[in-house]
Amino acid sequence: MSHTLDDPDTPFLALDRSTVAANITRLRRHLDGLGVTLRTHVKTAKSLDVAAMLDHGRPVAITVSTLAEAEAFAAAGYRDIVYAVGIAAHKLPRVLALRQRGVDLTVLLDSVAQAIAVGAAGVPALIEIDCDGHRGGVPPHGPELLEIARTLVDSGAEVRGVLTHAGESYFADGDDALRAAAENERRCAVEAAENLRAAGHEAPVVSVGSTPTAHFAADLTGVTEVRAGNFVFFDLVMAGIGVCTPADLAMTVVATVIGRRPDKGWILTDGGWTATSRDRGTARQRVDQGYGLVADLDGRLLPDLLMTDASQEHGVLSIRPGSTAPLPDLPIGTRVRILPNHACATAAQHDRYHVTAPGSRTVTDVWPRIKGW
Amino acid sequence: MSHTLDDPDTPFLALDRSTVAANITRLRRHLDGLGVTLRTHVKTAKSLDVAAMLDHGRPVAITVSTLAEAEAFAAAGYRDIVYAVGIAAHKLPRVLALRQRGVDLTVLLDSVAQAIAVGAAGVPALIEIDCDGHRGGVPPHGPELLEIARTLVDSGAEVRGVLTHAGESYFADGDDALRAAAENERRCAVEAAENLRAAGHEAPVVSVGSTPTAHFAADLTGVTEVRAGNFVFFDLVMAGIGVCTPADLAMTVVATVIGRRPDKGWILTDGGWTATSRDRGTARQRVDQGYGLVADLDGRLLPDLLMTDASQEHGVLSIRPGSTAPLPDLPIGTRVRILPNHACATAAQHDRYHVTAPGSRTVTDVWPRIKGW
């Protein structure tokens, strides 16, 4: 591979390999210190090559958001997979096909109806616990948890344990709130597991996780594994809640200036929402970053320049409202990088990464992404 | 193909072929009455099969938003293509490769810098005109238009004409505003062409278009072609501005109920933003439809049920704020259809359509989508 970030037709994703490595090392060290295993969520990168950076190319325990991810990782030798979206019964044949190939694929559920179907299929399951009212799950106390577990066991399936996700931590404000979210996530999961064990279930797995709580957890007593995905790339939403800084963002969208409207204060690029996604996750944070911060091709941020609007194949760059910074002189043809609000959503718009060496524009590799469901 | 909408793993796109046909007929009749050609924008459907419905399988004049679309359509025999995003010079080799294969591919530009590059390549160009301050383009009057045209001609390239897009029509409110947007779009384009002709340029093409203005134009005197793309599928944004009704939406996302939270008033599905996109286009309309209206698998709308929130692989359905409608009893495993805010953005999340026969769940075809740039 001999080309550089100046060569591919824009828009495309650039991925800084050394930043990914640093982000992985940072979370691994933190979790090693807490004595708990990392079960990386591959939904952000959806890349065998990024996952290979987790442990020197060796297959590790992973979390997936789609069966397409499970199938791709299984084909690459991964054998310990949690599918962390509530199971729909019609997807069980694909789950069983993977299990028959020797993959320990565990599913997630939070209802008796699902437990009946999963039990009949004989698939081990984690029971989803609601720790913060964010999405699905049953309370850590109460009859639903035990009823689901009983249903599984009665059909001969294994209650693998409990799983919870502190989804509300993405809206936490400040270190104290993040530490509290992490402790609440831990406490709910451990209490649920203890309630299962008191009822005679082994429930060996106590799985928690989100990138904010994974980084802010100070004690994970009773937890057996932490799931996190975004941490490999990070994004402006994570920077906004204080989990990282913009310098930690490993993935950017490269776009080209295709127009200038000085009368409007606009620079137009060929990076529209097909390239960035429509995600406006920072809009509800203290600092709204529009569709993203803008850097030059070497990664230097352009002062107070944001991608402020998007249509299908056009991005609009303009100065942050309230700033007196001048609109930079970016001639037509200039390439820029957009730092995304939400790495998962931006990456999902693309089918590959252009991987760069540290401090260089040289593209060393092109890594494909797993698509579909 | 023997399966039905009950069979494929969810989420996926369902496409009602008869609604597409009716939407095409409606716009064709309107434009036939105005004596102007339709140059369909294929950026919404990105499908050779949908495009084949435009004129009984015969290649027609099309507009594209990416060179990937141009290349796919050229390979299928399409020979009259406008690439309606301002050209970046580094993309000209792909443009030239298509032209050398006999494709009359025209590019778009609005600056002298682009005209120098396009002129040197000898590619015919349309000059983009700004009719409503929405995005790019030069004013229909003023020196820029003539300077760009002169630059093209001096390098031996052809000034094919002018192109404008009434992007602000997507925010128009009411029939009068839409008619005014259509007339403004027409007037700006025609005036720009007349200014070019007065300066000695032939400028045979006067291209206007957006789905709202295409439908609301009452007179297109001086216009030679209308571009529209969304009209084949329509969406809730178009319904919100009165261009169609929800019954005209041809494309929906099929998802499965995977959880219920009656305590929260939520039904959870496996259709998250990877399936619907993050587009919230109706949020700025009079009626905010969340991430979309919800219908049963036969297409009957469920009263006041919206997809109100989305995470990567989860959708949240709940009752419209302020409504007293009860949360419907949708058992786990039930399939629903989500009517999208923005068909272009929702379709872009998928790589195929499951095509249904009129009034039936039977899937007659699976049509692929063109991806990437």
Side-chain angles (χ1 to χ4, degrees):
Chain A
M1 194 84 36
S2 64
H3 67 261
T4 77
L5 294 180
D6 292 291
D7 296 322
D9 281 2
T10 50
F12 64 88
L13 289 182
L15 185 63
D16 180 331
R17 184 202 297 258
S18 58
T19 306
V20 175
N23 290 341
I24 290 171
T25 299
R26 179 181 156 204
L27 185 58
R28 275 218 177 278
R29 281 199 185 140
H30 178 60
L31 296 182
D32 284 351
L34 296 173
V36 70
T37 302
L38 171 63
R39 179 184 288 280
T40 299
H41 205 320
V42 300
K43 81 182 179 72
T44 303
K46 295 203 185 205
S47 159
L48 295 170
D49 301 288
V50 170
M53 296 177 67
L54 290 163
D55 190 24
H56 311 283
R58 284 186 288 269
V60 293
I62 58 169
T63 315
V64 299
S65 70
T66 64
L67 289 176
E69 293 161 37
E71 288 160 349
F73 276 87
Y78 287 73
R79 288 292 172 267
D80 181 0
I81 305 180
V82 168
Y83 174 35
V85 177
I87 188 72
H90 71 264
K91 293 175 182 162
L92 285 168
R94 287 169 70 191
V95 171
L96 285 169
L98 286 171
R99 291 193 57 81
Q100 281 156 10
R101 286 168 50 195
V103 179
D104 185 12
L105 177 60
T106 309
V107 301
L108 183 67
L109 47 77
D110 67 354
S111 69
V112 168
Q114 290 165 302
I116 291 169
V118 167
V123 172
L126 293 161
I127 302 175
E128 185 170 6
I129 307 300
D130 174 19
C131 69
D132 60 4
H134 178 70
R135 204 160 58 195
V138 294
H141 307 285
E144 298 96 327
L145 174 65
L146 298 180
E147 193 185 354
I148 293 166
R150 213 164 30 234
T151 305
L152 283 168
V153 168
D154 286 351
S155 11
E158 178 192 349
V159 181
R160 186 63 66 87
V162 295
L163 178 150
T164 193
H165 167 61
E168 288 300 302
S169 69
Y170 292 86
F171 312 102
D173 192 1
D175 293 6
D176 288 348
L178 286 163
R179 273 189 286 268
E183 172 54 16
N184 176 66
E185 187 183 44
R186 183 201 71 80
R187 193 176 39 74
C188 286
V190 171
E191 286 182 8
E194 285 168 356
N195 286 334
L196 284 176
R197 290 165 190 158
H201 304 283
E202 197 178 347
V205 173
V206 181
S207 181
V208 303
S210 75
T211 286
T213 55
H215 275 293
F216 275 83
D219 170 28
L220 287 171
T221 304
V223 166
T224 63
E225 64 180 37
V226 169
R227 305 178 325 282
N230 187 287
F231 77 95
V232 292
F233 291 168
F234 281 130
D235 53 33
L236 293 176
V237 166
M238 289 296 119
I241 62 176
V243 181
C244 67
T245 72
D248 298 318
L249 270 60
M251 188 194 77
T252 51
V253 176
V254 178
T256 300
V257 173
I258 59 168
R260 295 175 52 82
R261 292 292 303 262
D263 56 319
K264 297 265 191 182
W266 293 346
I267 294 167
L268 302 176
T269 77
D270 64 359
W273 54 251
T274 58
T276 59
S277 89
R278 272 289 197 197
D279 198 285
R280 288 280 292 101
T282 57
R284 47 194 169 190
Q285 294 190 323
R286 264 175 301 186
V287 180
D288 183 348
Q289 308 282 27
Y291 283 92
L293 295 172
V294 186
D296 67 17
L297 202 52
D298 294 315
R300 288 181 294 258
L301 286 173
L302 297 166
D304 277 341
L305 191 64
L306 300 182
M307 178 169 158
T308 46
D309 205 355
S311 48
Q312 186 157 348
E313 298 294 343
H314 294 82
V316 177
L317 313 184
S318 59
I319 293 297
R320 183 188 297 282
S323 164
T324 57
L327 193 68
D329 178 28
L330 300 177
I332 285 172
T334 306
R335 292 182 178 220
V336 294
R337 293 177 183 237
I338 311 298
L339 283 63
N341 277 318
H342 187 177
C344 310
T346 299
Q349 303 297 107
H350 296 262
D351 65 2
R352 75 196 82 163
Y353 303 101
H354 287 77
V355 183
T356 54
S360 156
R361 291 189 188 183
T362 302
V363 175
T364 58
D365 295 279
V366 176
W367 288 350
R369 275 177 54 82
I370 299 158
K371 304 287 286 181
W373 290 272
Chain B
M1 193 85 37
S2 62
H3 66 261
T4 77
L5 294 180
D6 292 291
D7 297 322
D9 281 2
T10 51
F12 63 88
L13 289 182
L15 186 62
D16 179 334
R17 183 202 298 257
S18 58
T19 306
V20 175
N23 291 341
I24 289 171
T25 300
R26 179 181 157 203
L27 186 58
R28 276 219 177 275
R29 281 199 185 141
H30 178 60
L31 296 181
D32 284 351
L34 296 173
V36 69
T37 301
L38 172 63
R39 179 184 287 280
T40 300
H41 205 318
V42 300
K43 81 182 178 74
T44 303
K46 296 205 186 204
S47 159
L48 295 170
D49 300 288
V50 170
M53 295 178 67
L54 290 163
D55 190 23
H56 310 283
R58 285 186 288 269
V60 293
I62 59 169
T63 315
V64 300
S65 70
T66 64
L67 289 175
E69 293 162 36
E71 289 160 350
F73 276 87
Y78 287 73
R79 287 294 172 267
D80 182 0
I81 305 180
V82 168
Y83 173 34
V85 177
I87 188 72
H90 71 265
K91 293 174 182 162
L92 285 168
R94 286 169 71 190
V95 172
L96 285 169
L98 285 171
R99 290 193 59 79
Q100 282 156 11
R101 285 168 49 195
V103 179
D104 185 12
L105 176 60
T106 309
V107 301
L108 183 67
L109 47 77
D110 67 355
S111 69
V112 168
Q114 289 164 302
I116 291 170
V118 168
V123 172
L126 294 162
I127 303 175
E128 185 170 7
I129 307 300
D130 175 18
C131 69
D132 60 4
H134 178 70
R135 203 161 58 196
V138 295
H141 307 284
E144 299 96 328
L145 174 65
L146 299 179
E147 193 184 352
I148 293 166
R150 213 163 32 234
T151 306
L152 283 168
V153 168
D154 286 352
S155 5
E158 178 192 349
V159 181
R160 186 63 67 85
V162 296
L163 178 149
T164 193
H165 167 61
E168 288 299 302
S169 69
Y170 292 86
F171 311 103
D173 192 359
D175 293 6
D176 288 348
L178 285 164
R179 274 188 286 267
E183 171 55 16
N184 177 65
E185 187 183 45
R186 182 201 71 81
R187 192 176 39 75
C188 286
V190 171
E191 286 182 8
E194 284 168 356
N195 286 334
L196 284 176
R197 289 165 191 159
H201 303 285
E202 198 180 344
V205 173
V206 182
S207 181
V208 302
S210 74
T211 286
T213 56
H215 276 292
F216 274 83
D219 169 29
L220 287 171
T221 304
V223 167
T224 64
E225 64 180 39
V226 169
R227 306 179 323 284
N230 187 287
F231 77 94
V232 292
F233 292 167
F234 282 129
D235 53 32
L236 294 176
V237 166
M238 289 295 120
I241 63 176
V243 181
C244 67
T245 71
D248 298 319
L249 271 61
M251 188 195 78
T252 51
V253 176
V254 179
T256 300
V257 173
I258 59 168
R260 295 174 53 82
R261 292 292 300 261
D263 56 318
K264 296 265 191 185
W266 293 347
I267 294 168
L268 301 177
T269 76
D270 64 359
W273 54 251
T274 58
T276 59
S277 90
R278 271 290 198 197
D279 198 284
R280 288 280 291 105
T282 56
R284 48 193 168 191
Q285 294 190 321
R286 264 175 300 184
V287 180
D288 183 347
Q289 309 282 26
Y291 283 92
L293 295 172
V294 185
D296 67 18
L297 201 52
D298 294 316
R300 287 179 295 256
L301 286 173
L302 296 167
D304 277 342
L305 191 65
L306 300 181
M307 176 168 158
T308 46
D309 205 354
S311 49
Q312 186 158 347
E313 299 294 345
H314 294 82
V316 177
L317 313 183
S318 59
I319 292 297
R320 184 188 297 284
S323 164
T324 56
L327 193 67
D329 178 29
L330 300 177
I332 285 173
T334 306
R335 291 182 178 220
V336 294
R337 291 175 182 240
I338 311 298
L339 282 64
N341 277 318
H342 187 177
C344 310
T346 299
Q349 302 296 108
H350 296 261
D351 65 1
R352 76 195 81 162
Y353 303 101
H354 286 76
V355 183
T356 55
S360 156
R361 290 188 188 184
T362 302
V363 175
T364 59
D365 296 278
V366 175
W367 288 349
R369 276 178 54 83
I370 299 158
K371 303 286 288 180
W373 291 271

